[in-house]
Amino acid sequence: MIGDFRTHFVREPSALRHHPALVLNADFRPLSYYPLSLWPWQEAVKAAFLDRVDIIAEYDEIVRSPSMTLKIPSVVVLKDYVKPRKRVAFTRFNLFLRDEFRCQYCGSKGDLTFDHVVPRASGGITSWENVVAACAPCNLRKGSKSLRRANMSLRKPPRQPSASELMNVGRKFPPGHLHESWMDYLYWDAVLDA
Ligand SMILES: [Zn+2]
C-alpha cells in the first residue's frame, strides 16, 4: 500500500458505499481531491495498525477479528507529511480537468474532444498553451482555421496549471457519495461567503 497510496484511491461509485476512509495529509488536507483520496476500509485499518495514520473519525459499523473489535475508520490522517507533486503531467485527463470538463469556446459540457488553438497545419504544437478542451461542434466549426478566421474566442488563455491550481479545480468535482464525517476536512478552508 505505502508507495502507491497517492494514486490508488477508491473510484467506483458502488465502492464508495462500502465504508472507505478519507485520507488526510499530515496538514489535515485531503491527500488528493480528484480523485478524492479514499482508501478501502481494509487499507485504513491496516495503516492504523502499522502506526502510519491516526484515526480521527469513525463509522458506527464495527469490524471484528478473533482478537479485537474496531469501529471502521472514516477519516485518517497520515503521520508523515507527503509533499505534493509540483509538476503537473501533460495528460488528457489533466487537460480536461484544467478546463473543468467544458468546451473552452462555448462552455458546453458534453462530447468533449481536444482542439489545437493554433492549428497543427500552421505549426501549432501540442502543449498546455495550445491545446484546449472543445466540444465536437466547436471543433468542427473551427477546423484548421485560426481563432480570428473562425471568429471564435477562448473563455480563458490556456496555460500550464500548477499542481495546487489543478487540486483546486478537482475540489469542484466531489465523488457522488460523501460521508458526513468528511465534510469538515473537505471544505474547512473554503472561502466563506460574506
Ligand atoms: Zn463548444
Side-chain angles (χ1 to χ4, degrees):
M1 176 200 76
I2 299 298
D4 58 10
F5 66 81
R6 287 210 280 197
T7 48
H8 281 221
F9 300 131
V10 172
R11 289 176 185 238
E12 300 294 315
S14 58
L16 285 172
R17 304 208 167 264
H18 295 148
H19 304 95
L22 175 65
V23 185
L24 305 177
N25 208 340
D27 65 357
F28 284 74
R29 289 162 186 252
L31 209 48
S32 161
Y33 283 95
Y34 199 99
L36 189 59
S37 42
L38 299 171
W39 282 344
W41 68 264
Q42 295 92 333
E43 295 289 339
V45 168
K46 196 165 82 184
F49 270 102
L50 295 172
D51 211 26
R52 288 181 168 142
V53 297
D54 286 320
I55 297 170
I56 54 175
E58 296 163 323
Y59 290 99
D60 291 332
E61 285 79 359
I62 285 169
V63 279
R64 289 172 216 280
S65 77
S67 55
M68 48 135 275
T69 60
L70 177 77
K71 279 192 163 181
I72 297 179
S74 64
V75 182
V76 296
V77 57
L78 296 179
K79 293 197 165 182
D80 294 320
Y81 181 73
V82 176
K83 269 193 183 167
R85 289 190 182 116
K86 282 233 167 76
R87 212 184 135 273
V88 172
F90 183 55
T91 62
R92 298 163 63 90
F93 179 82
N94 282 342
L95 196 129
F96 274 157
L97 187 57
R98 178 198 69 182
D99 292 346
E100 301 186 34
F101 304 97
R102 284 173 177 273
C103 171
Q104 291 302 291
Y105 296 110
C106 73
S108 81
K109 288 183 189 168
D111 202 9
L112 287 184
T113 61
F114 295 101
D115 183 64
H116 284 74
V117 179
V118 175
R120 270 186 289 199
S122 310
I125 59 168
T126 303
S127 68
W128 283 112
E129 292 77 20
N130 195 48
V131 179
V132 295
C135 71
C138 285
N139 208 331
L140 198 67
R141 195 179 134 207
K142 181 158 176 298
S144 55
K145 298 189 281 290
S146 68
L147 278 180
R148 227 162 56 129
R149 273 196 53 219
N151 196 23
M152 293 166 79
S153 58
L154 289 164
R155 294 159 63 87
K156 58 177 192 282
R159 58 180 184 79
Q160 177 169 359
S162 70
S164 63
E165 282 170 339
L166 217 51
M167 194 154 168
N168 281 329
V169 177
R171 299 172 68 162
K172 298 181 187 170
F173 301 95
H177 170 76
L178 294 173
H179 187 256
E180 58 190 19
S181 71
W182 303 346
M183 297 303 180
D184 288 344
Y185 305 99
L186 292 181
Y187 301 114
W188 69 269
D189 62 344
V191 176
L192 296 172
D193 290 324

